[in-house]
Structure formats: structure tokens, C-alpha cells
Amino acid sequence: MWVDGIKGISQIFSVVFFVNQNKMLNFARMKQYVKMIGGVVLTVSMALALANCASQQEKAERRMKMRQTVEEAVAKRQLHIGIISMNTLRYGARTVTSDFFLELRGDTLRSYLPYLGQAHQAPFTSPSIGLNFEAPILHYIESQPKSNLYRLEMNVKTEEDTYYYMVELFDTGEAFINVRSQNRDPISFSGAME
């Protein structure tokens, strides 16, 4: 009986030793896998870091290019702003289709903008509801209140009304346009230079 107990204990030790030996083998394999995976992770993380640096450099280059484009457009008075949304006095903000724009060509303002608001006097000469016209600029003021912002102020007169346009153009190409007239509620637009 005592001998049977020793045989049982020796069998238990041999099983434990075998399990421990396998664990050691597994641990050695795991160590190899960790080294291999660590190398892959390190390589991938370095590639991502380099890609991030490259994308930041590309972003900086795009910003500089856009800044130069905006400066040239303002200096030449040649710009085209695509409208994204409008903000009305009475009806709040609205998203608009991509058809609408404001264009400055030298001494001429071309406006194809939607209008939603109250007209104090109905236009008799034009069936158009929006701010749709091409007219010579009567008065033009250009200023740069901040290093990244140009402000263009223009007065135009059409057969139906007199308009004051204030365009704030950022060096990122973003634009905000405020329009006031004698016979309509004021309205503003946001867009981007195209």
C-alpha cells in the first residue's frame, strides 16, 4: 500500500514535470512569437508615424497653396465662391444646393444666390426671387483685418434694388457673405472658394 502510494506520487510528479516541460516549450515558442509580433508592430507603427508626418507635410503644403490662391484671387479681383448654406433673418439656417455662387470679375459682381426673407417692396422689373444679377461695382473696399482674413465690401445697384455685399474670405478658402439691401431683409451665406 505504501508502495502504491509512492507510485501514485511519482506518477503525479511525472505528469506535473511533463506539463511544466510543455509550458516551458510553449513559453519559448511564445517568446519567439512575441519577438516576431513585436517586430511587426514596431514596423507598422513606424510606417504609420512616417505616413502621419507625410500627411501633415501635405496638409501644410495644401494650406500654403490655398493661401497663395486666395491672395492672388483677391489681388486680381477674380474669385468664385460656391455657396453651401444660407442664414436668414426670419427662417434660420438652410443648406442649399451646389448651384449657387458669388463671382467677382474685376469691377463686376455676378450674384446667383437664393433669397428667403421678406421684401419690403416687391420688385416690378424682375420676376426673379433670388439675388440673381450681374452688375458693375459702384464702391469697393478691400481690407485685411487679420493675417488670415480678407474683407471685401462692395456696393452694387440693379434696376430693382441697391445692395451692399461684405465678403469675409479666409486663407483656407472659406467665405462668409453678408448681403443687405434697401428693400429686403438682410441675409448671409457661407461657402468656399472654388
Side-chain angles (χ1 to χ4, degrees):
M1 196 161 157
W2 185 73
V3 174
D4 288 335
I6 291 179
K7 282 183 181 176
I9 292 175
S10 69
Q11 285 176 350
I12 290 173
F13 279 123
S14 64
V15 168
V16 169
F17 177 73
F18 178 75
V19 168
N20 284 340
Q21 199 173 21
N22 278 342
K23 282 185 181 177
M24 289 192 139
L25 288 174
N26 287 340
F27 183 72
R29 279 191 203 147
M30 281 181 35
K31 211 171 172 185
Q32 288 174 344
Y33 289 138
V34 167
K35 283 183 182 178
M36 185 175 69
I37 290 171
V40 170
V41 168
L42 180 63
T43 304
V44 169
S45 62
M46 287 182 66
L48 289 174
L50 288 174
N52 189 25
C53 289
S55 69
Q56 285 180 354
Q57 185 177 0
E58 288 172 0
K59 283 180 187 178
E61 288 173 2
R62 276 186 273 153
R63 258 188 253 127
M64 283 300 292
K65 186 176 180 182
M66 181 53 83
R67 178 177 287 146
Q68 290 172 347
T69 303
V70 169
E71 286 176 5
E72 290 172 6
V74 169
K76 293 178 182 177
R77 287 191 187 182
Q78 298 287 329
L79 58 98
H80 183 95
I81 299 169
I83 303 302
I84 298 168
S85 67
M86 66 179 179
N87 194 8
T88 65
L89 181 66
R90 297 172 191 268
Y91 304 106
R94 306 284 171 125
T95 303
V96 299
T97 63
S98 60
D99 302 338
F100 298 104
F101 64 88
L102 182 72
E103 190 172 66
L104 176 63
R105 285 193 250 148
D107 292 333
T108 303
L109 184 67
R110 187 169 172 221
S111 176
Y112 184 67
L113 300 173
Y115 183 78
L116 186 61
Q118 185 173 9
H120 307 294
Q121 180 179 359
F124 295 109
T125 58
S126 174
S128 172
I129 295 173
L131 303 169
N132 305 327
F133 60 84
E134 185 172 336
I137 297 171
L138 302 175
H139 188 69
Y140 179 84
I141 298 173
E142 177 186 314
S143 61
Q144 192 173 4
K146 295 181 180 178
S147 63
N148 65 340
L149 171 68
Y150 291 93
R151 182 173 292 145
L152 313 174
E153 299 175 63
M154 298 163 272
N155 290 327
V156 292
K157 186 171 183 160
T158 64
E159 291 178 5
E160 63 186 49
D161 208 344
T162 302
Y163 298 98
Y164 167 77
Y165 280 72
M166 183 177 70
V167 179
E168 291 186 331
L169 183 62
F170 289 86
D171 63 359
T172 59
E174 290 181 272
F176 298 98
I177 303 163
N178 293 306
V179 182
R180 290 190 316 222
S181 70
Q182 291 180 343
N183 298 322
R184 298 182 185 197
D185 285 343
I187 190 168
S188 62
F189 302 91
S190 65
M193 200 172 101
E194 297 176 345

